[in-house]
């Protein structure tokens, strides 16, 4: 399939990291259609967590490429990208959910109705998109999914989390749905695709690619 432009892949650089399997699956699929550009707060490298024998070789090869180095969110030229992807990354709850640079990026995608896909804890990155009053959320009337309270409760730092995705969505006017823990669940509302957890990565990204192909 011919490239239809660039896909901006936003990752967390917090110590809590990015789920290795979700990132690998997302990049492998997206790379078939788009030129990928990684971006993170300050352009810092991510910690890819829960690597195993099935993906360690992939990451060794990935790190040898110049494209594995993220650019800073503050340097992103949003006009260069036709899609935005935030893979499953527990760190997003810590360094993306209130990031001002990411807020500007997401606001552009929302206003231009460009496809946006966020998966698992990466959905917390969408929480940064506040309106001018600093309180209202750009996605307040959207249907979304994100890790359930039960799934988030499995994180080792659960008691110290600054935000709980399910509660944030409900408290800010979003319509939240979920399936059983670790079950595949993807919600599509207009140009927004959200996946409940890392297990939903492939289905969510496939829908992102399909959505982009229809534009």
């Amino acid at each position: 399939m011919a490239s239809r432009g660039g896909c901006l892949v936003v990752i967390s650089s917090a110590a809590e990291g990015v789920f290795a399997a979700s990132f690998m699956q997302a990049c492998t699929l997206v790379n078939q259609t788009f030129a990928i550009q990684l971006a993170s707060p300050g352009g810092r490298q991510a910690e890819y967590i829960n690597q195993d024998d099935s993906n360690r070789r992939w990451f060794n090869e990935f790190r040898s490429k110049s494209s594995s180095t993220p650019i800073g969110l503050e340097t992103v030229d949003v006009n260069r990208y036709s899609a935005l992807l935030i893979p499953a990354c527990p760190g997003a709850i810590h360094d993306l959910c209130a990031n001002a640079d990411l807020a500007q990026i997401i606001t552009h995608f929302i206003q231009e109705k460009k496809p946006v896909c966020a998966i698992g804890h990466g959905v917390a990155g969408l929480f940064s998109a506040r309106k001018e009053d600093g309180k209202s959320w750009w996605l307040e009337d959207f249907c979304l999914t994100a890790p359930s309270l039960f799934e988030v409760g499995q994180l080792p730092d659960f008691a110290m989390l600054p935000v709980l995705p399910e509660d944030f969505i409900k408290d800010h006017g979003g319509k939240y749905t979920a399936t059983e823990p670790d079950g595949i669940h993807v919600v599509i509302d207009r140009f927004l695709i959200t996946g409940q957890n890392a297990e939903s990565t492939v289905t969510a990204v496939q829908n992102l690619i399909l959505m982009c192909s229809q534009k």
Side-chain angles (χ1 to χ4, degrees), residues 87-121:
C89 39
I93 296 177
H94 298 274
D95 69 348
L96 295 182
C97 70
N99 185 284
D101 296 312
L102 181 57
Q104 292 184 344
I105 293 169
I106 294 174
T107 298
H108 165 83
F109 274 81
I110 292 172
Q111 292 176 332
E112 297 297 321
K113 296 181 171 58
K114 294 181 182 180
V116 174
C117 178
I119 303 163
H121 301 91

PDB file of all heavy atoms in Angstrom, residues 87-121:
ATOM      1  N   PRO A  87       0.534   4.508  21.532  1.00  0.00           N
ATOM      2  CA  PRO A  87       0.424   3.097  21.914  1.00  0.00           C
ATOM      3  C   PRO A  87       0.243   2.939  23.421  1.00  0.00           C
ATOM      4  O   PRO A  87       0.267   3.918  24.175  1.00  0.00           O
ATOM      5  CB  PRO A  87       1.755   2.504  21.433  1.00  0.00           C
ATOM      6  CG  PRO A  87       2.703   3.654  21.447  1.00  0.00           C
ATOM      7  CD  PRO A  87       1.887   4.872  21.101  1.00  0.00           C
ATOM      8  N   ALA A  88       0.067   1.703  23.843  1.00  0.00           N
ATOM      9  CA  ALA A  88      -0.158   1.430  25.265  1.00  0.00           C
ATOM     10  C   ALA A  88       1.109   1.712  26.065  1.00  0.00           C
ATOM     11  O   ALA A  88       2.120   1.041  25.889  1.00  0.00           O
ATOM     12  CB  ALA A  88      -0.592  -0.023  25.451  1.00  0.00           C
ATOM     13  N   CYS A  89       1.047   2.721  26.912  1.00  0.00           N
ATOM     14  CA  CYS A  89       2.223   3.071  27.714  1.00  0.00           C
ATOM     15  C   CYS A  89       1.784   3.547  29.099  1.00  0.00           C
ATOM     16  O   CYS A  89       1.182   4.614  29.226  1.00  0.00           O
ATOM     17  CB  CYS A  89       3.086   4.124  27.019  1.00  0.00           C
ATOM     18  SG  CYS A  89       2.237   5.450  26.143  1.00  0.00           S
ATOM     19  N   PRO A  90       2.065   2.762  30.130  1.00  0.00           N
ATOM     20  CA  PRO A  90       1.716   3.167  31.492  1.00  0.00           C
ATOM     21  C   PRO A  90       2.280   4.532  31.869  1.00  0.00           C
ATOM     22  O   PRO A  90       1.689   5.263  32.667  1.00  0.00           O
ATOM     23  CB  PRO A  90       2.333   2.053  32.348  1.00  0.00           C
ATOM     24  CG  PRO A  90       2.364   0.862  31.448  1.00  0.00           C
ATOM     25  CD  PRO A  90       2.667   1.418  30.080  1.00  0.00           C
ATOM     26  N   GLY A  91       3.410   4.897  31.282  1.00  0.00           N
ATOM     27  CA  GLY A  91       4.013   6.185  31.590  1.00  0.00           C
ATOM     28  C   GLY A  91       3.172   7.376  31.176  1.00  0.00           C
ATOM     29  O   GLY A  91       3.350   8.482  31.692  1.00  0.00           O
ATOM     30  N   ALA A  92       2.236   7.167  30.239  1.00  0.00           N
ATOM     31  CA  ALA A  92       1.409   8.276  29.749  1.00  0.00           C
ATOM     32  C   ALA A  92       0.615   8.935  30.866  1.00  0.00           C
ATOM     33  O   ALA A  92       0.349  10.137  30.836  1.00  0.00           O
ATOM     34  CB  ALA A  92       0.462   7.787  28.655  1.00  0.00           C
ATOM     35  N   ILE A  93       0.235   8.141  31.854  1.00  0.00           N
ATOM     36  CA  ILE A  93      -0.530   8.683  32.976  1.00  0.00           C
ATOM     37  C   ILE A  93       0.305   9.704  33.743  1.00  0.00           C
ATOM     38  O   ILE A  93      -0.232  10.608  34.384  1.00  0.00           O
ATOM     39  CB  ILE A  93      -0.999   7.539  33.902  1.00  0.00           C
ATOM     40  CG1 ILE A  93      -1.971   6.619  33.147  1.00  0.00           C
ATOM     41  CG2 ILE A  93      -1.640   8.062  35.172  1.00  0.00           C
ATOM     42  CD1 ILE A  93      -2.435   5.417  33.948  1.00  0.00           C
ATOM     43  N   HIS A  94       1.625   9.583  33.641  1.00  0.00           N
ATOM     44  CA  HIS A  94       2.518  10.448  34.403  1.00  0.00           C
ATOM     45  C   HIS A  94       3.036  11.646  33.609  1.00  0.00           C
ATOM     46  O   HIS A  94       3.164  12.739  34.167  1.00  0.00           O
ATOM     47  CB  HIS A  94       3.702   9.630  34.927  1.00  0.00           C
ATOM     48  CG  HIS A  94       3.304   8.539  35.866  1.00  0.00           C
ATOM     49  ND1 HIS A  94       3.131   8.739  37.213  1.00  0.00           N
ATOM     50  CD2 HIS A  94       3.010   7.232  35.633  1.00  0.00           C
ATOM     51  CE1 HIS A  94       2.763   7.602  37.786  1.00  0.00           C
ATOM     52  NE2 HIS A  94       2.688   6.669  36.852  1.00  0.00           N
ATOM     53  N   ASP A  95       3.357  11.464  32.320  1.00  0.00           N
ATOM     54  CA  ASP A  95       3.995  12.587  31.617  1.00  0.00           C
ATOM     55  C   ASP A  95       3.288  13.049  30.345  1.00  0.00           C
ATOM     56  O   ASP A  95       3.759  13.966  29.679  1.00  0.00           O
ATOM     57  CB  ASP A  95       5.463  12.260  31.300  1.00  0.00           C
ATOM     58  CG  ASP A  95       5.624  11.173  30.243  1.00  0.00           C
ATOM     59  OD1 ASP A  95       4.629  10.505  29.899  1.00  0.00           O
ATOM     60  OD2 ASP A  95       6.761  10.978  29.756  1.00  0.00           O
ATOM     61  N   LEU A  96       2.162  12.435  30.000  1.00  0.00           N
ATOM     62  CA  LEU A  96       1.436  12.878  28.805  1.00  0.00           C
ATOM     63  C   LEU A  96       0.066  13.471  29.121  1.00  0.00           C
ATOM     64  O   LEU A  96      -0.438  14.296  28.361  1.00  0.00           O
ATOM     65  CB  LEU A  96       1.253  11.709  27.820  1.00  0.00           C
ATOM     66  CG  LEU A  96       2.515  11.112  27.192  1.00  0.00           C
ATOM     67  CD1 LEU A  96       2.133  10.005  26.205  1.00  0.00           C
ATOM     68  CD2 LEU A  96       3.360  12.170  26.497  1.00  0.00           C
ATOM     69  N   CYS A  97      -0.539  13.075  30.232  1.00  0.00           N
ATOM     70  CA  CYS A  97      -1.940  13.434  30.475  1.00  0.00           C
ATOM     71  C   CYS A  97      -2.150  14.930  30.696  1.00  0.00           C
ATOM     72  O   CYS A  97      -3.275  15.418  30.557  1.00  0.00           O
ATOM     73  CB  CYS A  97      -2.509  12.634  31.643  1.00  0.00           C
ATOM     74  SG  CYS A  97      -1.865  13.061  33.260  1.00  0.00           S
ATOM     75  N   ALA A  98      -1.094  15.660  31.023  1.00  0.00           N
ATOM     76  CA  ALA A  98      -1.230  17.110  31.208  1.00  0.00           C
ATOM     77  C   ALA A  98      -0.142  17.865  30.447  1.00  0.00           C
ATOM     78  O   ALA A  98       0.173  19.004  30.780  1.00  0.00           O
ATOM     79  CB  ALA A  98      -1.178  17.459  32.695  1.00  0.00           C
ATOM     80  N   ASN A  99       0.404  17.243  29.409  1.00  0.00           N
ATOM     81  CA  ASN A  99       1.500  17.848  28.663  1.00  0.00           C
ATOM     82  C   ASN A  99       0.977  18.924  27.710  1.00  0.00           C
ATOM     83  O   ASN A  99       0.154  18.649  26.836  1.00  0.00           O
ATOM     84  CB  ASN A  99       2.237  16.754  27.879  1.00  0.00           C
ATOM     85  CG  ASN A  99       3.467  17.273  27.175  1.00  0.00           C
ATOM     86  OD1 ASN A  99       3.373  17.942  26.154  1.00  0.00           O
ATOM     87  ND2 ASN A  99       4.632  16.958  27.720  1.00  0.00           N
ATOM     88  N   ALA A 100       1.456  20.144  27.871  1.00  0.00           N
ATOM     89  CA  ALA A 100       0.946  21.275  27.092  1.00  0.00           C
ATOM     90  C   ALA A 100       1.277  21.147  25.604  1.00  0.00           C
ATOM     91  O   ALA A 100       0.471  21.542  24.746  1.00  0.00           O
ATOM     92  CB  ALA A 100       1.519  22.582  27.640  1.00  0.00           C
ATOM     93  N   ASP A 101       2.443  20.616  25.284  1.00  0.00           N
ATOM     94  CA  ASP A 101       2.818  20.454  23.874  1.00  0.00           C
ATOM     95  C   ASP A 101       1.932  19.409  23.199  1.00  0.00           C
ATOM     96  O   ASP A 101       1.481  19.599  22.064  1.00  0.00           O
ATOM     97  CB  ASP A 101       4.287  20.047  23.759  1.00  0.00           C
ATOM     98  CG  ASP A 101       5.226  21.125  24.285  1.00  0.00           C
ATOM     99  OD1 ASP A 101       5.051  22.300  23.913  1.00  0.00           O
ATOM    100  OD2 ASP A 101       6.122  20.783  25.076  1.00  0.00           O
ATOM    101  N   LEU A 102       1.674  18.316  23.897  1.00  0.00           N
ATOM    102  CA  LEU A 102       0.788  17.294  23.345  1.00  0.00           C
ATOM    103  C   LEU A 102      -0.626  17.842  23.201  1.00  0.00           C
ATOM    104  O   LEU A 102      -1.333  17.510  22.246  1.00  0.00           O
ATOM    105  CB  LEU A 102       0.793  16.050  24.234  1.00  0.00           C
ATOM    106  CG  LEU A 102      -0.085  14.889  23.768  1.00  0.00           C
ATOM    107  CD1 LEU A 102       0.286  14.448  22.353  1.00  0.00           C
ATOM    108  CD2 LEU A 102       0.017  13.717  24.740  1.00  0.00           C
ATOM    109  N   ALA A 103      -1.030  18.684  24.127  1.00  0.00           N
ATOM    110  CA  ALA A 103      -2.363  19.291  24.049  1.00  0.00           C
ATOM    111  C   ALA A 103      -2.542  20.050  22.739  1.00  0.00           C
ATOM    112  O   ALA A 103      -3.586  19.945  22.077  1.00  0.00           O
ATOM    113  CB  ALA A 103      -2.579  20.227  25.235  1.00  0.00           C
ATOM    114  N   GLN A 104      -1.535  20.809  22.340  1.00  0.00           N
ATOM    115  CA  GLN A 104      -1.615  21.564  21.090  1.00  0.00           C
ATOM    116  C   GLN A 104      -1.689  20.628  19.887  1.00  0.00           C
ATOM    117  O   GLN A 104      -2.434  20.877  18.932  1.00  0.00           O
ATOM    118  CB  GLN A 104      -0.406  22.489  20.965  1.00  0.00           C
ATOM    119  CG  GLN A 104      -0.393  23.624  21.982  1.00  0.00           C
ATOM    120  CD  GLN A 104       0.770  24.584  21.761  1.00  0.00           C
ATOM    121  OE1 GLN A 104       1.728  24.273  21.057  1.00  0.00           O
ATOM    122  NE2 GLN A 104       0.689  25.752  22.363  1.00  0.00           N
ATOM    123  N   ILE A 105      -0.931  19.547  19.941  1.00  0.00           N
ATOM    124  CA  ILE A 105      -0.928  18.580  18.839  1.00  0.00           C
ATOM    125  C   ILE A 105      -2.305  17.934  18.704  1.00  0.00           C
ATOM    126  O   ILE A 105      -2.883  17.868  17.610  1.00  0.00           O
ATOM    127  CB  ILE A 105       0.151  17.508  19.081  1.00  0.00           C
ATOM    128  CG1 ILE A 105       1.550  18.134  19.006  1.00  0.00           C
ATOM    129  CG2 ILE A 105       0.014  16.369  18.071  1.00  0.00           C
ATOM    130  CD1 ILE A 105       2.661  17.221  19.496  1.00  0.00           C
ATOM    131  N   ILE A 106      -2.838  17.447  19.818  1.00  0.00           N
ATOM    132  CA  ILE A 106      -4.129  16.762  19.780  1.00  0.00           C
ATOM    133  C   ILE A 106      -5.239  17.721  19.375  1.00  0.00           C
ATOM    134  O   ILE A 106      -6.141  17.364  18.606  1.00  0.00           O
ATOM    135  CB  ILE A 106      -4.433  16.112  21.140  1.00  0.00           C
ATOM    136  CG1 ILE A 106      -3.427  14.991  21.416  1.00  0.00           C
ATOM    137  CG2 ILE A 106      -5.860  15.565  21.176  1.00  0.00           C
ATOM    138  CD1 ILE A 106      -3.555  14.377  22.796  1.00  0.00           C
ATOM    139  N   THR A 107      -5.176  18.946  19.862  1.00  0.00           N
ATOM    140  CA  THR A 107      -6.189  19.940  19.498  1.00  0.00           C
ATOM    141  C   THR A 107      -6.207  20.163  17.992  1.00  0.00           C
ATOM    142  O   THR A 107      -7.273  20.264  17.371  1.00  0.00           O
ATOM    143  CB  THR A 107      -5.929  21.263  20.231  1.00  0.00           C
ATOM    144  OG1 THR A 107      -6.016  21.044  21.646  1.00  0.00           O
ATOM    145  CG2 THR A 107      -6.949  22.318  19.828  1.00  0.00           C
ATOM    146  N   HIS A 108      -5.030  20.218  17.382  1.00  0.00           N
ATOM    147  CA  HIS A 108      -4.954  20.361  15.920  1.00  0.00           C
ATOM    148  C   HIS A 108      -5.638  19.181  15.233  1.00  0.00           C
ATOM    149  O   HIS A 108      -6.442  19.370  14.307  1.00  0.00           O
ATOM    150  CB  HIS A 108      -3.495  20.446  15.473  1.00  0.00           C
ATOM    151  CG  HIS A 108      -3.298  20.230  14.000  1.00  0.00           C
ATOM    152  ND1 HIS A 108      -3.463  21.234  13.065  1.00  0.00           N
ATOM    153  CD2 HIS A 108      -2.976  19.107  13.290  1.00  0.00           C
ATOM    154  CE1 HIS A 108      -3.245  20.745  11.852  1.00  0.00           C
ATOM    155  NE2 HIS A 108      -2.950  19.464  11.961  1.00  0.00           N
ATOM    156  N   PHE A 109      -5.333  17.971  15.672  1.00  0.00           N
ATOM    157  CA  PHE A 109      -5.921  16.788  15.041  1.00  0.00           C
ATOM    158  C   PHE A 109      -7.437  16.771  15.209  1.00  0.00           C
ATOM    159  O   PHE A 109      -8.170  16.386  14.295  1.00  0.00           O
ATOM    160  CB  PHE A 109      -5.296  15.516  15.626  1.00  0.00           C
ATOM    161  CG  PHE A 109      -4.022  15.101  14.939  1.00  0.00           C
ATOM    162  CD1 PHE A 109      -2.815  15.701  15.259  1.00  0.00           C
ATOM    163  CD2 PHE A 109      -4.032  14.116  13.967  1.00  0.00           C
ATOM    164  CE1 PHE A 109      -1.638  15.331  14.621  1.00  0.00           C
ATOM    165  CE2 PHE A 109      -2.867  13.732  13.319  1.00  0.00           C
ATOM    166  CZ  PHE A 109      -1.664  14.347  13.645  1.00  0.00           C
ATOM    167  N   ILE A 110      -7.909  17.187  16.369  1.00  0.00           N
ATOM    168  CA  ILE A 110      -9.353  17.222  16.606  1.00  0.00           C
ATOM    169  C   ILE A 110     -10.021  18.256  15.705  1.00  0.00           C
ATOM    170  O   ILE A 110     -11.040  17.980  15.061  1.00  0.00           O
ATOM    171  CB  ILE A 110      -9.640  17.534  18.091  1.00  0.00           C
ATOM    172  CG1 ILE A 110      -9.188  16.367  18.970  1.00  0.00           C
ATOM    173  CG2 ILE A 110     -11.128  17.828  18.308  1.00  0.00           C
ATOM    174  CD1 ILE A 110      -9.245  16.664  20.457  1.00  0.00           C
ATOM    175  N   GLN A 111      -9.452  19.444  15.657  1.00  0.00           N
ATOM    176  CA  GLN A 111     -10.050  20.512  14.855  1.00  0.00           C
ATOM    177  C   GLN A 111     -10.028  20.189  13.365  1.00  0.00           C
ATOM    178  O   GLN A 111     -10.946  20.565  12.627  1.00  0.00           O
ATOM    179  CB  GLN A 111      -9.329  21.827  15.138  1.00  0.00           C
ATOM    180  CG  GLN A 111      -9.571  22.351  16.551  1.00  0.00           C
ATOM    181  CD  GLN A 111      -8.778  23.610  16.855  1.00  0.00           C
ATOM    182  OE1 GLN A 111      -7.701  23.840  16.297  1.00  0.00           O
ATOM    183  NE2 GLN A 111      -9.291  24.427  17.754  1.00  0.00           N
ATOM    184  N   GLU A 112      -8.987  19.481  12.924  1.00  0.00           N
ATOM    185  CA  GLU A 112      -8.871  19.114  11.509  1.00  0.00           C
ATOM    186  C   GLU A 112      -9.522  17.767  11.209  1.00  0.00           C
ATOM    187  O   GLU A 112      -9.536  17.329  10.057  1.00  0.00           O
ATOM    188  CB  GLU A 112      -7.393  19.073  11.103  1.00  0.00           C
ATOM    189  CG  GLU A 112      -6.681  20.415  11.202  1.00  0.00           C
ATOM    190  CD  GLU A 112      -7.270  21.448  10.264  1.00  0.00           C
ATOM    191  OE1 GLU A 112      -7.632  21.080   9.124  1.00  0.00           O
ATOM    192  OE2 GLU A 112      -7.386  22.621  10.681  1.00  0.00           O
ATOM    193  N   LYS A 113     -10.028  17.111  12.262  1.00  0.00           N
ATOM    194  CA  LYS A 113     -10.677  15.795  12.124  1.00  0.00           C
ATOM    195  C   LYS A 113      -9.751  14.763  11.477  1.00  0.00           C
ATOM    196  O   LYS A 113     -10.169  13.938  10.655  1.00  0.00           O
ATOM    197  CB  LYS A 113     -11.994  15.914  11.351  1.00  0.00           C
ATOM    198  CG  LYS A 113     -13.043  16.754  12.071  1.00  0.00           C
ATOM    199  CD  LYS A 113     -14.336  16.833  11.281  1.00  0.00           C
ATOM    200  CE  LYS A 113     -15.452  17.485  12.089  1.00  0.00           C
ATOM    201  NZ  LYS A 113     -15.134  18.836  12.562  1.00  0.00           N
ATOM    202  N   LYS A 114      -8.491  14.811  11.851  1.00  0.00           N
ATOM    203  CA  LYS A 114      -7.536  13.809  11.396  1.00  0.00           C
ATOM    204  C   LYS A 114      -7.636  12.577  12.303  1.00  0.00           C
ATOM    205  O   LYS A 114      -7.893  12.711  13.504  1.00  0.00           O
ATOM    206  CB  LYS A 114      -6.107  14.356  11.457  1.00  0.00           C
ATOM    207  CG  LYS A 114      -5.805  15.503  10.510  1.00  0.00           C
ATOM    208  CD  LYS A 114      -4.344  15.913  10.670  1.00  0.00           C
ATOM    209  CE  LYS A 114      -3.955  17.077   9.791  1.00  0.00           C
ATOM    210  NZ  LYS A 114      -2.523  17.448   9.973  1.00  0.00           N
ATOM    211  N   PRO A 115      -7.419  11.385  11.776  1.00  0.00           N
ATOM    212  CA  PRO A 115      -7.529  10.172  12.587  1.00  0.00           C
ATOM    213  C   PRO A 115      -6.566  10.156  13.777  1.00  0.00           C
ATOM    214  O   PRO A 115      -5.380  10.461  13.643  1.00  0.00           O
ATOM    215  CB  PRO A 115      -7.196   9.053  11.595  1.00  0.00           C
ATOM    216  CG  PRO A 115      -7.575   9.613  10.259  1.00  0.00           C
ATOM    217  CD  PRO A 115      -7.213  11.064  10.340  1.00  0.00           C
ATOM    218  N   VAL A 116      -7.117   9.792  14.921  1.00  0.00           N
ATOM    219  CA  VAL A 116      -6.357   9.687  16.168  1.00  0.00           C
ATOM    220  C   VAL A 116      -6.632   8.314  16.766  1.00  0.00           C
ATOM    221  O   VAL A 116      -7.784   7.890  16.861  1.00  0.00           O
ATOM    222  CB  VAL A 116      -6.770  10.781  17.174  1.00  0.00           C
ATOM    223  CG1 VAL A 116      -6.069  10.574  18.513  1.00  0.00           C
ATOM    224  CG2 VAL A 116      -6.475  12.170  16.622  1.00  0.00           C
ATOM    225  N   CYS A 117      -5.580   7.629  17.182  1.00  0.00           N
ATOM    226  CA  CYS A 117      -5.723   6.318  17.804  1.00  0.00           C
ATOM    227  C   CYS A 117      -4.908   6.291  19.093  1.00  0.00           C
ATOM    228  O   CYS A 117      -3.712   6.608  19.080  1.00  0.00           O
ATOM    229  CB  CYS A 117      -5.241   5.221  16.853  1.00  0.00           C
ATOM    230  SG  CYS A 117      -5.315   3.541  17.525  1.00  0.00           S
ATOM    231  N   ALA A 118      -5.548   5.954  20.194  1.00  0.00           N
ATOM    232  CA  ALA A 118      -4.860   5.836  21.480  1.00  0.00           C
ATOM    233  C   ALA A 118      -5.239   4.503  22.107  1.00  0.00           C
ATOM    234  O   ALA A 118      -6.403   4.091  22.054  1.00  0.00           O
ATOM    235  CB  ALA A 118      -5.235   6.988  22.407  1.00  0.00           C
ATOM    236  N   ILE A 119      -4.257   3.842  22.691  1.00  0.00           N
ATOM    237  CA  ILE A 119      -4.450   2.473  23.155  1.00  0.00           C
ATOM    238  C   ILE A 119      -4.052   2.330  24.623  1.00  0.00           C
ATOM    239  O   ILE A 119      -3.004   2.835  25.046  1.00  0.00           O
ATOM    240  CB  ILE A 119      -3.612   1.504  22.299  1.00  0.00           C
ATOM    241  CG1 ILE A 119      -3.985   1.635  20.817  1.00  0.00           C
ATOM    242  CG2 ILE A 119      -3.794   0.063  22.768  1.00  0.00           C
ATOM    243  CD1 ILE A 119      -2.970   1.037  19.866  1.00  0.00           C
ATOM    244  N   GLY A 120      -4.883   1.621  25.376  1.00  0.00           N
ATOM    245  CA  GLY A 120      -4.562   1.322  26.767  1.00  0.00           C
ATOM    246  C   GLY A 120      -4.285   2.576  27.578  1.00  0.00           C
ATOM    247  O   GLY A 120      -5.000   3.579  27.474  1.00  0.00           O
ATOM    248  N   HIS A 121      -3.223   2.529  28.362  1.00  0.00           N
ATOM    249  CA  HIS A 121      -2.874   3.683  29.187  1.00  0.00           C
ATOM    250  C   HIS A 121      -2.493   4.890  28.340  1.00  0.00           C
ATOM    251  O   HIS A 121      -2.487   6.025  28.832  1.00  0.00           O
ATOM    252  CB  HIS A 121      -1.724   3.321  30.129  1.00  0.00           C
ATOM    253  CG  HIS A 121      -2.046   2.181  31.051  1.00  0.00           C
ATOM    254  ND1 HIS A 121      -1.775   0.873  30.724  1.00  0.00           N
ATOM    255  CD2 HIS A 121      -2.642   2.146  32.264  1.00  0.00           C
ATOM    256  CE1 HIS A 121      -2.179   0.086  31.701  1.00  0.00           C
ATOM    257  NE2 HIS A 121      -2.711   0.819  32.645  1.00  0.00           N
TER     258      HIS A 121
END
